[in-house]
Structure formats: C-alpha cells, structure tokens
Amino acid sequence: MLTKPAEADFSIVLRRYDIEQQVVVTPEEMAKKMLPKDEVFRKVAEEVLYMRFKTVGPSVAEAIKARAPLDVINNGLVAGMEVVAKLYAEHVYYLPEIMMAAKTMEIGIAIAERQVPGGRDSKGTVIMHAAEGDPHDIGKNIAAVMMKSSGYDVVDLGRDVPVSDLVAETVKVKPMLVTGTALMTTTMTAFPAEAKLFRENGIETPLMGCGGAVNRDFANSYDLGIYSEKAPQTPKIADKIREGYDWKKIREEWDDIVGGK
Ligand code: B12
C-alpha cells in the first residue's frame, strides 16, 4: 500500500544520496567562522555568499569609497567566494549556487577593477589562460586584476585554451611571463605539454602553473615551470623576471620572493 504524502518524512526523502552523511552546517554559521570582521568587507562578501547579484554593484561602489579597490576584491568578493567554495565542499551549496555566486562576484570585480589605479608605463606583457578543458577562470581573473594594477599588460586568452593556441599566441606576442590556471586534475597536464612545445619553438619564457589542482612540486616538475599559489604573489614574481631572473632562479629563490624579502 502507498504511504499518503502527509505521512511521508521529507527530512529523510529530500537528502543527497551520493554522500555518506549530510552536513548540517548553515551558510550563516560558515559566514560567522570565515568572513572578515571588518564591516565594509563583510557586507561585500555577504553579497557573494547569498548570491545577491542585484545589490552587489551598489555595495561594491559604496565599499570602494572607504577601502582600496584591490582590498575590496580580495578581502570582500574573494573572501565571500571562499565561503561559497567551502559550502560546496561540505555539500551545503550545489552547482547552481556556485554559478550564481561566481556571477555575483564577477559583477563586483568588474566595478572595483575600474577604480584600480592604472595608466602607468607598462612593465611588460603577460599572457594568462585557463588550461585546455578547464572552465574555472575566477582565480585567473583575480590574478589578472593584480597584474594590471601592478603595471603589467595582460593578454587574457580566457578559459579552456587549446595548447596549440597558447603556443601560437606566445610565439606571436613574446610575453615575459605566461600563466596557466588548472583547477581540475584532468587539465593540469596541459602545462608540461605547453612547456615542451615552448621549448621546441625556442621559447624560454617561464610558464607559471597555478590553481587548486596544481602544487609547487608539480609546477617545478617540468622545464620552464614556476609556481604561484595565490594571485597577489604573481606581480612579485613577475618583477623578478623583469630584473632578469630565469625560471631556474625563480625556483631557487621562490620562498624569499613571495615572502616579500
Ligand atoms: C566555481 C566552481 C565551478 C564553476 C566555475 C565558474 C568559473 N567561471 O570559474 C563551474 C560551475 C562552471 C564549475 C564547473 C565544474 N567543476 Co568546478 N568548482 C568550482 C569551485 C566550487 C570553486 C572554484 C573557485 O572559483 N574558487 C574561488 C577562486 C578564487 O579560487 P581559485 O580558483 O582556487 O583561485 C585561487 C588560487 O588557486 C590561485 N589561482 C588560481 N588561478 C590563478 C592564476 C594565477 C596566475 C595565480 C597567480 C593564482 C591563481 O589564486 C586564487 C586566490 O588567490 C571548486 C571547488 C573549490 N573548493 O575550489 C570546484 C571544482 C574546481 N570543480 C570541480 C569539478 C569536478 C567541476 C565539473 C567537472 C563538475 C561537473 N561534474 O560538471 C565542472 C567542469 C565541467 C567542464 N569541464 O566544463 C572540482 C575539480 C576536481 C578535480 N580535482 O579535478 C572542484 C575542486 C570541486 C570538487 N571538490 O569536486 N565549477
């Protein structure tokens, strides 16, 4: 006999079947633990966390009156996205929330980015891309803002960039640095393939491997490979390349460089 709907226990029915235990943490609890204490940054971060794409613009515009635009990006928008990523990992948020939060963050970044001081002489050109097959470009976009604000020209090839396109563009543009982002273990293998083709085409440009799937050991495992863990480290490394450091010297002095010494 069928159970009448009124008698069904929906707390048992409406649960994810593909994980062992449903995590009970709420976005509010996670926000309390992870979000910055600073009121201005917190408000911006909450816009991302709660996917408020209609109000993120006014909040960011308000925040950049009181705080530096790059800090609003890093300590507000990115901080909010970090909570979203954590909630996804804990199976509280699902893909639709991720996509809406990412969109909200992008709207905010576009507004803050316009206020980042620029207009200086270019320090050099950097090519940035997300690896072939990889749609994750949020970290790359943040790193691109940092590079532009530090005086570098950025040629952003976007996401899911075929290895052959990257090589062709690098031959054409002759950048002083190429960065790659991979958040998936299936796409990070693009970097050694790109480095091999760089070499075959006589390119000695350092190829920075970045993104969640990549660690320092992996980025150091192929010729030309160097590592950057967080977006704000990249201008420091690029400054050293300007001083004449090659990929081997960057590797040797990496800790000192990103430590700011
Ligand atoms: C947002 C997100 C998405 C969005 C991406 C939107 C976008 N435009 O980027 C969407 C919804 C599209 C997506 C799709 C998928 N995703 Co996804 N996604 C995520 C999520 C939740 C957050 C990533 C993120 O943006 N974080 C915030 C940014 C700021 O962090 P970040 O990218 O790590 O960047 C930081 C550093 O890595 C670094 N960095 C990054 N890039 C660069 C570049 C430079 C130059 C520098 C210096 C530094 C740097 O600096 C940043 C901070 O300073 C992660 C989970 C997680 N915890 O990371 C999964 C995750 C990356 N996704 C995953 C997967 C599997 C997928 C899908 C295959 C899911 C599916 N089954 O369909 C699809 C991809 C399908 C395809 N092939 O097209 C997996 C990858 C697993 C693996 N090990 O391979 C993850 C880890 C989730 C998981 N735990 O399973 N995803």
Side-chain angles (χ1 to χ4, degrees):
M1 202 176 72
L2 283 175
T3 310
K4 277 191 273 170
E7 291 167 14
D9 181 351
F10 285 99
S11 68
I12 299 170
V13 179
L14 297 175
R15 59 187 290 278
R16 271 182 70 169
Y17 58 83
D18 57 340
I19 51 173
E20 289 201 344
Q21 194 191 348
Q22 187 89 34
V23 180
V24 287
V25 66
T26 64
E28 289 73 20
E29 286 163 350
M30 198 68 92
K32 214 171 180 182
K33 267 196 236 157
M34 289 180 68
L35 284 188
K37 300 280 167 274
D38 180 296
E39 275 297 310
V40 177
F41 295 138
R42 192 183 175 87
K43 184 159 187 281
V44 171
E46 282 177 351
E47 302 287 12
V48 176
L49 174 60
Y50 298 117
M51 300 154 275
R52 296 181 195 134
F53 52 87
K54 286 187 181 157
T55 52
V56 67
S59 293
V60 168
E62 202 52 41
I64 55 185
K65 287 182 195 159
R67 303 282 183 276
L70 274 182
D71 290 342
V72 173
I73 293 176
N74 278 317
N75 303 337
L77 296 161
V78 175
M81 194 64 207
E82 277 166 2
V83 183
V84 171
K86 181 83 177 140
L87 288 168
Y88 181 75
E90 301 275 358
H91 312 286
V92 177
Y93 273 6
Y94 296 67
L95 275 182
E97 282 99 343
I98 290 288
M99 292 173 84
M100 285 167 65
K103 189 77 223 159
T104 308
M105 180 174 126
E106 276 169 24
I107 296 169
I109 287 185
I111 292 166
E113 194 182 2
R114 274 184 239 135
Q115 304 304 321
V116 172
R120 285 161 284 172
D121 287 344
S122 170
K123 285 172 150 183
T125 301
V126 179
I127 289 187
M128 304 182 82
H129 80 296
E132 182 163 347
D134 205 315
H136 300 92
D137 65 354
I138 297 172
K140 169 184 72 60
N141 295 344
I142 296 165
V145 174
M146 305 281 155
M147 291 305 284
K148 286 183 212 159
S149 69
S150 304
Y152 289 92
D153 282 338
V154 172
V155 176
D156 187 345
L157 299 184
R159 53 190 168 187
D160 184 12
V161 178
V163 171
S164 54
D165 287 8
L166 177 79
V167 177
E169 201 63 22
T170 305
V171 169
K172 197 172 97 192
V173 173
K174 297 187 181 55
M176 43 96 66
L177 168 68
V178 175
T179 77
T181 299
L183 266 76
M184 293 159 66
T185 38
T186 47
T187 60
M188 60 197 259
T189 47
F191 302 149
E194 291 164 356
K196 189 166 171 283
L197 284 171
F198 276 15
R199 276 274 163 101
E200 285 171 18
N201 283 276
I203 302 166
E204 284 297 313
T205 311
L207 174 54
M208 185 182 274
C210 316
V214 179
N215 60 25
R216 191 172 165 189
D217 285 344
F218 179 76
N220 287 354
S221 70
Y222 49 90
D223 282 357
L224 305 182
I226 55 172
Y227 183 57
S228 179
E229 188 184 5
K230 296 274 174 199
Q233 295 171 342
T234 316
K236 295 180 184 176
I237 296 170
D239 288 348
K240 289 293 172 191
I241 296 171
R242 278 190 89 213
E243 281 176 29
Y245 281 37
D246 65 4
W247 54 275
K248 288 182 191 155
K249 197 156 185 225
I250 296 282
R251 278 189 197 174
E252 276 164 24
E253 296 190 16
W254 195 87
D255 290 299
D256 286 344
I257 296 169
V258 302
K261 287 178 216 165

